[in-house]
């Protein structure tokens, strides 16, 4: 869980630097599709080497959960995050992303009946308090306010995603992450290009692929293992 968080935490400041040349939907699509390509390559290599399959495969009845995971976690959440980062500093945006934890914990307890200790509730309260005193740059203008709402909306989407993914935690984490990233990346990239965006070129494209493979691909797989081991609420507290 901690390693997953560390890998994902690399992405917001780097994404902030790329938003000037790549539109949010295209950027989100490239990140997720890069992760999907990397995970597909790994699964193909695993199959070619005939390594033992020890994980449960995805089933047809898992399709509604996968759709929810892909839409909230892979399409809407990243899009809102990138819109928010476009109106805030990378530092402020990164701090606000901590709202994902208390929102995930609240859904896990109230909807999915997980249990939290008093200390874990205290951790969630401190995160909310930190977001409450945070000021966007040097003021709280309209752009900053919209940016903060976008980041909060992204965190709510990922809270839904975390709890839905926990329902699939006994499935192969690599396959769950692969289908999520391929579906989300294809959808976002297609929409972004149709709306007039363009693909990143040169060094930006290489940076996006590496960041997608690590901060979205590998991070998602590790996060899925954490959800399996400790549940959505405690995983969120660590993340």
């Amino acid at each position: 869980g901690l390693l997953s968080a560390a890998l994902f935490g690399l992405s917001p400041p780097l994404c902030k630097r790329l938003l000037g040349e790549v539109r949010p939907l295209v950027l989100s699509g490239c990140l997720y599709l890069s992760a999907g390509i990397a995970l597909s390559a790994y699964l193909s290599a695993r199959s070619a080497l005939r390594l033992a399959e020890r994980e449960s495969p995805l089933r047809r009845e898992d399709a509604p959960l996968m759709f929810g995971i892909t839409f909230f976690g892979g399409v809407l959440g990243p899009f809102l995050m990138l819109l928010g980062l476009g109106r805030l500093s990378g530092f402020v945006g990164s701090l606000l992303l901590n709202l994902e934890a208390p929102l995930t914990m609240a859904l896990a307890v109230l909807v999915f009946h997980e249990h939290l200790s008093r200390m874990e509730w205290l951790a969630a309260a401190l995160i909310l308090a930190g977001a409450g005193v945070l000021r966007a740059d040097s003021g709280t203008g309209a752009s900053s306010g919209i940016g903060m709402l976008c980041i909060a909306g992204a965190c709510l989407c990922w809270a839904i995603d975390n709890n839905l993914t926990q329902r699939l935690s006994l499935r192969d984490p690599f396959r769950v992450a692969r289908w999520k990233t391929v579906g989300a990346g294809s959808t976002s990239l297609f929409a972004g290009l149709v709306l007039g965006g363009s693909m990143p070129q040169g060094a930006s494209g290489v940076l996006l692929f590496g960041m997608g493979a690590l901060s979205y691909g590998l991070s998602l797989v590790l996060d899925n293992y954490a959800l399996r081991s400790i549940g959505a609420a405690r995983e969120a507290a660590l993340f």
Side-chain angles (χ1 to χ4, degrees):
L2 291 172
L3 182 55
S4 171
L7 289 171
F8 180 75
L10 295 173
S11 63
L14 293 173
C15 286
K16 174 69 178 177
R17 298 178 67 87
L18 292 171
L19 278 172
E21 54 184 284
V22 186
R23 290 192 177 184
L25 269 176
V26 174
L27 181 57
S28 174
C30 287
L31 287 168
Y32 270 93
L33 205 52
S34 296
I37 292 170
L39 290 168
S40 296
Y42 169 79
L43 288 169
S44 296
R46 190 174 75 176
S47 177
L49 294 172
R50 297 182 179 181
L51 298 178
E53 293 279 354
R54 298 180 179 178
E55 299 283 358
S56 174
L58 286 166
R59 300 172 181 172
R60 184 175 298 178
E61 56 266 29
D62 297 328
L65 282 174
M66 281 303 310
F67 176 80
I69 289 166
T70 300
F71 176 72
F72 287 106
V75 178
L76 187 56
F79 177 63
L80 289 173
M81 180 193 75
L82 294 171
L83 280 181
L85 286 176
R87 292 169 169 80
L88 302 168
S89 71
F91 177 72
V92 170
S94 295
L95 289 177
L96 282 171
L97 285 171
N98 285 308
L99 286 172
E100 179 185 344
L103 291 172
T104 298
M105 295 161 80
L107 284 177
V109 172
L110 297 175
V111 179
F112 296 102
H113 309 295
E114 292 190 24
H115 174 73
L116 287 178
S117 68
R118 290 181 180 179
M119 291 300 292
E120 287 161 337
W121 277 117
L122 176 60
L126 289 173
I127 294 171
L128 285 173
V133 301
L134 187 64
R135 285 179 169 79
D137 296 329
S138 58
T140 54
S143 180
S144 297
I146 293 172
M148 295 176 85
L149 284 175
C150 287
I151 296 289
C155 290
L156 178 59
C157 288
W158 283 322
I160 297 171
D161 170 29
N162 290 335
N163 281 282
L164 294 180
T165 302
Q166 206 279 328
R167 308 303 96 163
L168 291 177
S169 61
L170 294 181
R171 303 288 187 253
D172 185 348
F174 282 93
R175 295 189 185 278
V176 172
R178 191 265 300 272
W179 284 115
K180 174 183 177 178
T181 52
V182 169
S186 301
T187 302
S188 297
L189 184 58
F190 176 77
L193 293 176
V194 166
L195 293 174
S198 58
M199 293 291 290
Q201 304 295 322
S204 295
V206 176
L207 175 63
L208 272 177
F209 181 82
M211 187 163 57
L214 292 175
S215 295
Y216 287 75
L218 181 56
S219 176
L220 273 174
V221 171
L222 293 171
D223 195 52
N224 289 348
Y225 277 116
L227 287 168
R228 173 189 293 181
S229 300
I230 58 177
R234 287 179 176 82
E235 177 276 337
L238 286 171
F239 197 86

